[in-house]
Amino acid sequence: MSANDMIFALALASNLNKQQHFNLAYQHIQSWGELELSSIYQIPCRDGVGHEYWNAACLLMTQFTLPEMQLRLKQLERLSGRVRPSHQISLDVDLIAWGNDLSTMQWNEKKQPFALDVKIPLYELWPHHELKVTGCIFPKVDFKLGAVLSG
């Protein structure tokens, strides 16, 4: 890790052509730096409207600045065909926290309080006490990056 590197904690979600959009997201985000991925969890829609989501998290180490990362995330969502507002989400990528190391990360206050679909996958990568959830178990998705899409 160089002195200019930043760590970004990202939350990813999709409930429309999920495999296709997670492939797209992972391929782009991997090209931006060193990436650590969580498992993908299948979690019901928060408001009970719409299809179940695939939810995951990642930690990305990169030389991008915060404004550069915010711009790239919005571009990635647009590339996936994201339409707002809608209950059919091709790809949602939220910036949850950032910093130079995990002990000094700054939370994105616009995203707080964090929902279960953010906390569960992110805790797998970064066991921070604010992300800990007990008593909730959701199925994990068997996902292989670059896998051929089926039905």
Side-chain angles (χ1 to χ4, degrees):
M1 181 168 174
S2 76
N4 295 332
D5 283 352
M6 291 277 290
I7 299 171
F8 294 96
L10 308 175
L12 295 86
S14 176
N15 73 350
L16 177 68
N17 299 325
K18 298 173 266 202
Q19 188 167 1
Q20 172 188 341
H21 291 117
F22 265 71
N23 268 320
L24 175 78
Y26 285 168
Q27 289 169 358
H28 277 81
I29 295 170
Q30 278 183 324
S31 73
W32 300 343
E34 187 178 320
L35 185 63
E36 185 178 356
L37 303 170
S38 75
S39 300
I40 299 174
Y41 294 84
Q42 189 164 319
I43 300 177
C45 182
R46 291 180 198 168
D47 61 8
V49 178
H51 301 289
E52 287 191 330
Y53 280 82
W54 280 11
N55 294 95
C58 64
L59 295 175
L60 173 67
M61 189 183 329
T62 183
Q63 291 192 350
F64 294 154
T65 63
L66 179 58
E68 288 171 326
M69 180 56 63
Q70 291 168 322
L71 179 62
R72 284 178 180 263
L73 295 178
K74 291 301 170 202
Q75 289 172 336
L76 181 56
E77 286 182 348
R78 277 195 301 276
L79 182 64
S80 77
R82 175 78 191 263
V83 175
R84 295 172 190 263
S86 176
H87 289 288
Q88 300 222 345
I89 308 300
S90 56
L91 184 63
D92 182 28
V93 186
D94 290 332
L95 177 57
I96 303 303
W98 61 90
N100 295 106
D101 64 65
L102 291 178
S103 66
T104 61
M105 298 285 274
Q106 178 178 333
W107 298 112
N108 185 347
E109 294 180 8
K110 293 178 184 176
K111 300 299 177 185
Q112 289 182 313
F114 300 126
L116 289 176
D117 55 26
V118 170
K119 289 180 173 184
I120 292 169
L122 191 51
Y123 187 81
E124 184 180 309
L125 302 174
W126 179 27
H128 189 281
H129 69 279
E130 291 208 29
L131 300 170
K132 188 170 178 84
V133 174
T134 57
C136 292
I137 299 173
F138 294 101
K140 291 182 182 179
V141 175
D142 183 19
F143 174 82
K144 305 286 188 270
L145 182 60
V148 176
L149 303 178
S150 60

